[in-house]
Amino acid sequence: QVQLVESGGGLVQAGGSLRVSCAVSGGTFSTHAMGWFRQAPGKEREFVAAISPAGVFTDYADSVKGRFTISRDNAKNSVYLQMDSLKPEDTAVYYCALGALMRRDLRTYGAWGQGTQVTVSS
């Protein structure tokens, strides 16, 4: 059974940086796309970024483009989200997800982590 475990969340001031990680076990990581999503209190879960299985292609939500970078290390079965120039509106629980295709639709992802809290203070 595939398991995803996020880490690296925390509290940071606006303008700061944070990197969250997601370790995947129990599956064929290198043949799957990975995505990052986030959910703020009272809001729906939304797409943040996605990366293709080999890491060649990436996609970003307009709200984070130019500030966030998704990457992966298939040798370590891990995916990362580097977040720079953070804003208070980036505050949310961040989830990683594993899917067959690199898509923005969360319904296309079959396995999810438990989430990690990111809080950006103003």
Side-chain angles (χ1 to χ4, degrees):
Q1 186 173 352
V2 177
Q3 288 190 319
L4 291 75
V5 179
E6 300 96 337
S7 61
L11 174 65
V12 64
Q13 288 188 332
S17 297
L18 205 60
R19 188 176 88 151
V20 290
S21 303
C22 173
V24 180
S25 60
T28 52
F29 177 76
S30 62
T31 62
H32 286 83
M34 295 297 299
W36 283 100
F37 293 78
R38 67 186 181 186
Q39 188 166 18
K43 295 188 177 181
E44 294 185 350
R45 193 170 298 189
E46 65 175 6
F47 170 78
V48 175
I51 189 166
S52 61
V56 174
F57 301 104
T58 58
D59 186 27
Y60 297 93
D62 288 345
S63 59
V64 307
K65 196 172 296 182
R67 300 188 298 121
F68 289 13
T69 303
I70 188 172
S71 62
R72 65 190 295 161
D73 185 338
N74 285 350
K76 295 183 178 179
N77 284 5
S78 294
V79 62
Y80 311 98
L81 186 68
Q82 176 67 40
M83 302 181 287
D84 299 320
S85 301
L86 282 160
K87 304 175 182 180
E89 50 263 44
D90 294 319
T91 295
V93 177
Y94 283 72
Y95 299 88
C96 64
L98 180 147
L101 300 172
M102 190 183 82
R103 291 288 186 267
R104 296 189 173 197
D105 187 346
L106 57 82
R107 295 171 296 179
T108 64
Y109 292 83
W112 293 80
Q114 82 290 347
T116 186
Q117 177 70 46
V118 171
T119 303
V120 184
S121 63
S122 57

